Amino acid sequence: MSFDAKLNMEDGNAVIRLTGELDSGSAGELNTVITEAAGHQPGRLVLLMKELTYMSSAGLRCLVFAQQKMPDEAEIVLVAPTPDVTKTITMTGFDSSVTMEHDTPAPS
Amino acid sequence: MTEGRLSFDCTPGAAQRVADLVSRIAERASLTSQQQYWLRLAADEITTNIASHGYQGSAGTVVVDSAIERDRVWIRIEDSAPAFDPCRYRMQAQSACEPLGTREGGFGLMLALHNLDDFIYEYECGRNRNTLVMRRPAAPDTEGTGYRDG
């Protein structure tokens, strides 16, 4: 499945919607978008991950890249990563350096 | 039942070939979607590590064998790069707690090895051989009462 990363600036925050699969072949594309986002000096970098179906360690290195590029005080927020992607982030300890927001199921 | 052999150069397109192989095997072996995900991730990370660190970006070939057995599936990834045992590599424990921007690498091997049911490394005749194993889900209850729980 192809990868796509779309950037929108919203109220001083950089919001990047990720779709598809993030691996060593597509990480460069995300880094390019992160660099563009950093140029806006955002207060937060928000990665919308609901439609990101796969992420290898290359994706983790994008998070490292993001923190290097963003202003020091900028917060990195990961929104609605899938369970498997969440596990990748937590088992490598990256959850200690980002904010993770999960969709909560609607009450039945 | 063997699933055949693939041989390809370690190029950026190799990861997709590995993913396609895992997808075929997972479907035939009735692996769960989670098992397929982690098997694919492990194969992806091992292959990427071979390309980046084994062959160090130079030309190199990877040979992949695979098989579906009664209770497990395995994927064996071979290369002719210098000997490297992934099991001996331990990402520094403190790295996971360091700020994002200061961390060293090694996450790929951690991800590769942590979610397999078994991993076997061998070095023979100048070739690294990495065997990734995932157990097949238990067969459904054939007594007519549906799947067993637990």
Side-chain angles (χ1 to χ4, degrees):
Chain A
M1 184 180 298
S2 61
F3 174 78
D4 190 47
K6 279 201 168 43
L7 170 65
N8 278 310
M9 295 302 301
E10 299 176 6
D11 300 324
N13 298 321
V15 181
I16 302 177
R17 179 179 299 275
L18 307 179
T19 57
E21 300 178 341
L22 178 54
D23 58 15
S24 55
S26 52
E29 181 179 343
L30 177 55
N31 285 344
T32 298
V33 177
I34 288 170
T35 300
E36 180 184 351
H40 294 276
Q41 296 289 300
R44 297 169 93 206
L45 172 64
V46 179
L47 301 181
L48 305 179
M49 303 178 85
K50 189 173 186 177
E51 296 166 277
L52 187 70
T53 56
Y54 175 84
M55 187 178 82
S56 71
S57 63
L60 296 176
R61 287 190 288 277
C62 290
L63 296 181
V64 174
F65 181 79
Q67 189 164 57
Q68 291 170 337
K69 283 290 188 181
M70 289 293 144
D72 289 343
E73 64 280 8
E75 181 184 17
I76 297 176
V77 182
L78 310 183
V79 178
T82 64
D84 290 325
V85 172
T86 297
K87 186 175 180 180
T88 294
I89 294 166
T90 56
M91 68 178 289
T92 51
F94 275 76
D95 55 326
S96 63
S97 301
V98 299
T99 300
M100 294 179 71
E101 297 179 358
H102 294 276
D103 284 344
T104 53
S108 56
Chain B
M1 176 175 77
T2 58
E3 293 295 302
R5 166 172 285 199
L6 284 180
S7 177
F8 48 85
D9 295 331
C10 267
T11 61
Q16 189 56 53
R17 295 192 68 175
V18 170
D20 292 343
L21 169 70
V22 173
S23 178
R24 288 197 301 273
I25 291 174
E27 184 174 347
R28 290 180 191 155
S30 301
L31 296 183
T32 65
S33 57
Q34 194 173 44
Q35 286 180 310
Q36 176 180 347
Y37 184 98
W38 291 107
L39 184 59
R40 175 197 171 173
L41 182 59
D44 183 350
E45 298 291 356
I46 292 291
T47 305
T48 299
N49 195 68
I50 292 169
S52 303
H53 301 291
Y55 291 131
Q56 298 190 336
S58 298
T61 300
V62 166
V63 177
V64 181
D65 288 302
S66 56
I68 300 173
E69 298 178 354
R70 184 183 61 82
D71 60 345
R72 66 177 194 159
V73 301
W74 56 259
I75 296 174
R76 183 167 298 143
I77 303 171
E78 278 193 23
D79 66 86
S80 55
F84 178 76
D85 180 357
C87 299
R88 290 182 175 272
Y89 181 88
R90 290 287 182 267
M91 193 182 78
Q92 292 297 320
Q94 68 270 21
S95 295
C97 302
E98 293 291 322
L100 267 179
T102 63
R103 289 190 194 164
E104 302 173 2
F107 304 111
L109 292 180
M110 173 191 264
L111 292 172
L113 302 186
H114 196 270
N115 295 291
L116 295 171
D117 289 318
D118 199 5
F119 176 84
I120 304 159
Y121 172 77
E122 300 163 288
Y123 186 73
E124 199 172 302
C125 301
R127 298 182 67 77
N128 295 289
R129 185 180 296 158
N130 302 279
T131 304
L132 290 56
V133 180
M134 196 70 86
R135 291 195 199 95
R136 298 177 69 180
D141 180 2
T142 55
E143 296 295 317
T145 58
Y147 281 80
R148 292 183 191 280
D149 288 329

